[in-house]
Amino acid sequence: MTITELFRQTRPYVRPYRPLLLATLALTAVGSFAAQVNAWILRYTVDNINALTEAHKTLKDGIDLLVFISLVLIGKELVYAIVQFGQKFYGEKLRIYISRDLAQTIVERILSYRMAFYTAPENESGKLQTRIDLGISSLTRLVQNFFVDIMPLFANSIVALAFMFNANFYVGLVGLAILPIYFYISQLQARKLGGFRRKMRTYRENKSNGIISLIDSITVIKSFVREPFEAEKHKDLQFSMTQNLMQTRQLSFVFDSVKGFVEQFGVVIIIILTSYFVLNGNMTIGTIMFHILLFNNVSAPIRQLHRIYDEVNDALINAEGYFEIVQSESEVEQSGSLRPTIDGQFELRNVNFHYPNGTQALKEVSMKMEPNKITALVGLSGAGKSTLINLLDKFYEPSSGEIYLDGTNLSAIDTEYLRSKIGLVLQKNHIFKGTIAENIGYGKLGATQAEIETAAKQAYIHDQIMLSPKGYETSAQQLSGGQQQRIAIARLFLKDPAIIFLDEPTANLDAIATEQIRKSLDAIKKDRTVIIISHSISQIIDADNIVVMDNGRVVEEGLHDELYDKQGTYHDIFSAMANSLNIEKIARTMN
Ligand code: ADP
């Protein structure tokens, strides 16, 4: 990303605050003139006192002069204080507003992205978070530095330089000549540091991602006693990061020293030059001070120049990450515009699907699922069953082939509308931090307490909720797995979709919990189009149609008895499931 690009991209975020920006700029302009007053007053004082001493006058004769100088200096400080306050405050306000907008924009933006964005390896949650945080903080720092710190200094510098030229062309020229040298050094510094910064960003991303995955895997780490191993892995990262940081610092300090030297060199030349003019009688003695103070004003922002280079470079690298995320048009979820009435007949024609990492999860899948019927997807793990549901919900688009819902191509249907008609129950349903009522209410924003309770009753969880002292205000995350599943089903009753996808809804539950949620599952399945993935024999046998998948393909389709008699894949899977139950022994016990 180039600087012009950076400014072009940042402009839309600054645009809404144009009045604030103009106020800041106006104050900066006033401030830059006020900043030169000291130089003028010093020259005026030295020259006048000098004249008084040469005329052998006493303090009494200089009293008017002192009063005048004091009044001007105090008056200037007063103005300067007000201007600085306004300038800093408006600048800060600008920074805070822009930071808020950047953060809000990216959240709204990534919410609109398709599923593949979230599952891409470079967008693992820790990495994404770091990239967003760094992008926002360095962009806002850039805005702040620019408007609060750097711009006033540069304005001072330009005004001071103009005064220097106005007072003496040659002295002005010396002041001006220093600038390109500084720019050159700062640019060199920035270029040398760029590589280190980029590396640092990767280290930081890996580091925060590393800690997140450490916490996620802590049970396994501890049970295998791999703490030293994990610590060592982390140490390597820390050490490389430290080394990189040290090199960055070392380089910065070298450049800082060089710049300090060049600046002092400028001061020396100004002293020599002005002294020469004074001795020649072309300048008053006060003018030496005048020029030194002005030159200080000229070089002050230049001392900060590497900082702005640093900030801009940080921003160039980090903002790239931010804008890349905000602007990935290709990630925006595709939506059609049709909103047909939906019965729930799905038809797949020659559907192939590859995940972003290249895994082909579906191969030439063609099949139909009838409305108001229960279709069970059966197959070994990895066969492509969940993928199929992901495609029907438009979380992903087929790589080739078509999917139709009631005769309309799925890609032409409004995605939001489609999803409002589909309910999804997963192996582990997400329970948000919050109360039971809030979690059920997520199914229909603005649902009344009565509606929430009705839904809970339909999902057979109401009685249990009422047993806990806080009732519907209990924290939902405290509930057991089976109870959480029923909360998720209650949520679906509120949503009341025509189509239900159940992806191993009982897989994580023990037998008793499975038995308990069976009633809620039966209730939610009633009068809807249901597609169920399950390893539970009872749920499979009940289905109106069974689709057997193997390695991304549909290999068999039909009713339980027919499929079993075929002695194919279904027969094998079913027999394995039945054997694992040890039915003979169970039967004996039950008898
Ligand atoms: P099933 O639900 O039948 O167990 P899946 O549909 O989950 O099978 O997976 C089918 C194939 O797709 C598997 O090989 C799996 O590894 C792969 N797969 C699933 N999800 C992803 C993903 N997000 N990225 C890449 N590959 C995936």
Side-chain angles (χ1 to χ4, degrees), residues 142-279:
L142 185 72
V143 170
Q144 187 204 7
N145 275 320
F146 191 71
F147 291 109
V148 180
D149 303 336
I150 307 287
M151 205 175 54
L153 284 174
F154 269 91
N156 287 356
S157 175
I158 292 167
V159 174
L161 197 63
F163 283 156
M164 281 176 87
F165 266 108
N166 187 42
N168 184 298
F169 179 76
Y170 296 102
V171 186
L173 222 48
V174 173
L176 186 64
I178 292 292
L179 296 183
I181 302 177
Y182 252 88
F183 272 107
Y184 175 72
I185 299 174
S186 299
Q187 204 192 1
L188 205 65
Q189 178 179 13
R191 257 213 315 271
K192 294 244 180 231
L193 286 177
F196 290 115
R197 285 180 183 285
R198 248 174 253 264
K199 255 200 253 168
M200 207 62 194
R201 188 178 97 181
T202 320
Y203 285 139
R204 284 212 193 101
E205 281 180 6
N206 287 340
K207 193 174 146 190
S208 67
N209 205 39
I211 291 173
I212 290 174
S213 75
L214 213 65
I215 295 170
D216 282 349
S217 350
I218 194 69
T219 321
V220 181
I221 296 174
K222 286 203 175 287
S223 74
F224 280 91
V225 203
R226 287 289 179 267
E227 292 96 328
F229 172 72
E230 291 294 335
E232 197 58 35
K233 257 188 0 199
H234 203 248
K235 194 167 145 193
D236 286 346
L237 181 67
Q238 283 293 4
F239 274 58
S240 323
M241 209 164 145
T242 312
Q243 196 191 8
N244 193 56
L245 197 62
M246 287 306 294
Q247 284 170 322
T248 317
R249 285 282 162 266
Q250 190 185 20
L251 208 61
S252 299
F253 293 147
V254 169
F255 275 103
D256 286 351
S257 306
V258 173
K259 282 188 292 189
F261 179 77
V262 174
E263 189 190 351
Q264 281 316 306
F265 194 71
V267 174
V268 169
I269 294 182
I270 292 204
I271 292 178
I272 295 173
L273 197 62
T274 44
S275 304
Y276 166 78
F277 285 129
V278 171
L279 293 173

Side-chain angles (χ1 to χ4, degrees), residues 499-542:
I499 302 166
I500 299 266
F501 297 153
L502 302 159
D503 191 346
E504 304 191 39
T506 55
N508 271 337
L509 304 178
D510 55 49
I512 297 198
T514 302
E515 188 51 30
Q516 281 171 346
I517 98 159
R518 211 185 60 194
K519 275 209 287 188
S520 13
L521 278 179
D522 287 343
I524 193 88
K525 275 153 60 177
K526 204 164 165 308
D527 299 330
R528 298 175 209 264
T529 302
V530 177
I531 296 172
I532 182 166
I533 300 175
S534 179
H535 293 298
S536 142
I537 289 186
S538 65
Q539 285 167 9
I540 297 172
I541 298 182
D542 273 353

